[in-house]
Amino acid sequence: MTFLSRAPGRRSPGKYLATALTAFLALVLAGCGGASTEQQPSPSVSAVTSSTATPPASASASASDTASDTREHIRVGATTRSYLLHRPGVNEQRRPRPLLIAFHGRGESAEDMRERARLDEAAGARGMLVAHPEAVREMWSADNVPTSQRPDTEVDIRFTEAMISALVRSGEADPKRVYTVGFSNGGSMALRLAAQRPRTVAAATSVSGQLATGVARTGPSGPVPVMIVYGAQDPVRPMAGIPDPPPPAAGQEPLTATVSTRAGAEAFARAAGTKPPFTERRPGYDRTRWAPGTPGGAPVELLVVHGAGHTWPGSRVPPPPGFGRTSTALNATSAVLDFLTRSAAH
């Protein structure tokens, strides 16, 4: 969805718009309805097979002298998957670092997410590894209902777990400090992982993503700190959710029914046993917080950004036409990282 210049060989923005807007706007496709054709005969994992240097999306001269960006490849079952990995400089003490996994949106790539959220430099400044995984055919399996295009709904769960395991085995990542964030369909993927694997992630954050409902329901199964950032005027995946999706066009993946953004936050709050919510009105957005019910418990937060669309608040990357406005009242990258830092302190 970005309109920045791209390296030779990457898809053109015009070609992407022609397909993405048809899929997203005509059928209201975004969030949890991602598909995958990947087949996984077994959950076995092999070591990372290769590592290739990639140029950082943005970095200061001093930061680029010490930080590194590579594309890692890993075998999961019979399939090779890849992810971009940002290492925030020399780790002189060789201690495992926090790991932030950033899921891109539907119809996008890991590079698109890196450009939109600019997490590498911001999270790297806090000592975090940042992994940007690539989805199969640019869509995440963010629900648990099989389709003809996506018969195995666990492929991306296994890929994420394999990626975490590889980085933990290498001594780079701390298994107790694994965090997730995602945008749109990637945000739904981050929420699904937190709902179904609460012991895998220390905290989860999502921008413009919702939980699936109905037969695709992925309700939270345990306490985990969660933050959801959402545009109040999202025209692609409205805050009210899509409880009764329209039938898909020929050849398209069926839409996934989703709960409202508020209902998703409340579901995580119930699973965490939080206190009743409290809402603060701030310039440009409302912050609702469910405080932990017990010492060391899991907080839940919902940030509703006034006038914002299906966008990443504070991003420099302009959204496609029809996706709504990008708010500057909130910097979603800073908000996400601040929440993860606070969660780690509990």
Side-chain angles (χ1 to χ4, degrees), residues 7 13 17 48 80 101 134 153 164 210 218 235 238 268 281-282 312 336:
L17 267 181
V48 173
T80 299
I101 301 171
E134 297 277 9
T153 64
I164 295 170
Q210 294 173 325
T218 51
F268 280 107
R281 313 291 181 186
R282 299 191 174 185
W312 184 280
V336 162

Side-chain angles (χ1 to χ4, degrees), residues 147-287:
T147 67
S148 59
Q149 297 100 327
R150 182 171 47 96
D152 185 349
T153 64
E154 294 293 311
V155 292
D156 290 326
I157 294 287
R158 289 198 298 272
F159 169 40
T160 304
E161 291 176 331
M163 182 173 54
I164 295 170
S165 295
L167 291 170
V168 169
R169 285 198 310 271
S170 71
E172 294 188 83
D174 183 347
K176 295 182 179 179
R177 294 184 292 170
V178 175
Y179 309 110
T180 59
V181 64
F183 174 69
S184 189
N185 170 238
S188 296
M189 182 65 200
L191 294 179
R192 181 193 178 187
L193 190 67
Q196 295 188 222
R197 301 289 195 276
R199 295 184 180 181
T200 297
V201 297
T205 55
S206 168
V207 178
S208 299
Q210 294 173 325
L211 281 175
T213 189
V215 295
R217 181 179 179 273
T218 51
S221 57
V224 60
V226 168
M227 169 186 274
I228 300 173
V229 180
Y230 223 88
Q233 304 301 319
D234 190 326
V236 176
R237 175 70 63 178
M239 278 197 65
I242 304 180
D244 188 21
Q252 292 288 340
E253 181 77 5
L255 282 169
T256 298
T258 60
V259 299
S260 72
T261 304
R262 173 82 182 208
E266 290 172 339
F268 280 107
R270 286 194 299 271
T274 65
K275 296 178 180 179
F278 173 76
T279 299
E280 302 171 276
R281 313 291 181 186
R282 299 191 174 185
Y285 68 97
D286 296 337
R287 175 180 180 244

Side-chain angles (χ1 to χ4, degrees), residues 32-127:
C32 299
S36 173
T37 57
E38 181 183 12
Q39 298 290 330
Q40 297 288 356
S42 75
S44 62
V45 178
S46 66
V48 173
T49 57
S50 64
S51 176
T52 307
T54 62
S58 63
S60 65
S62 59
S64 62
D65 290 338
T66 55
S68 66
D69 295 85
T70 59
R71 180 174 291 276
E72 306 290 334
H73 296 82
I74 187 170
R75 292 284 293 180
V76 186
T79 305
T80 299
R81 302 288 296 266
S82 72
Y83 58 97
L84 301 178
L85 181 64
H86 177 78
R87 295 178 175 90
V90 178
N91 187 357
E92 294 181 353
Q93 274 114 15
R94 298 187 179 277
R95 293 177 181 172
R97 302 196 231 208
L99 170 63
L100 176 60
I101 301 171
F103 297 102
H104 62 75
R106 179 170 179 163
E108 297 188 328
S109 68
E111 180 63 29
D112 290 324
M113 181 65 176
R114 190 167 75 165
E115 292 174 358
R116 168 183 286 107
R118 302 171 71 87
L119 286 161
D120 288 1
E121 190 171 359
R126 304 186 189 216

Side-chain angles (χ1 to χ4, degrees), residues 264-322:
E266 290 172 339
F268 280 107
R270 286 194 299 271
T274 65
K275 296 178 180 179
F278 173 76
T279 299
E280 302 171 276
R281 313 291 181 186
R282 299 191 174 185
Y285 68 97
D286 296 337
R287 175 180 180 244
T288 300
R289 186 172 190 268
W290 289 261
T294 59
V300 176
E301 293 190 18
L302 171 61
L303 275 58
V304 177
V305 186
H306 305 317
H310 197 71
T311 56
W312 184 280
S315 177
R316 301 178 187 177
V317 178

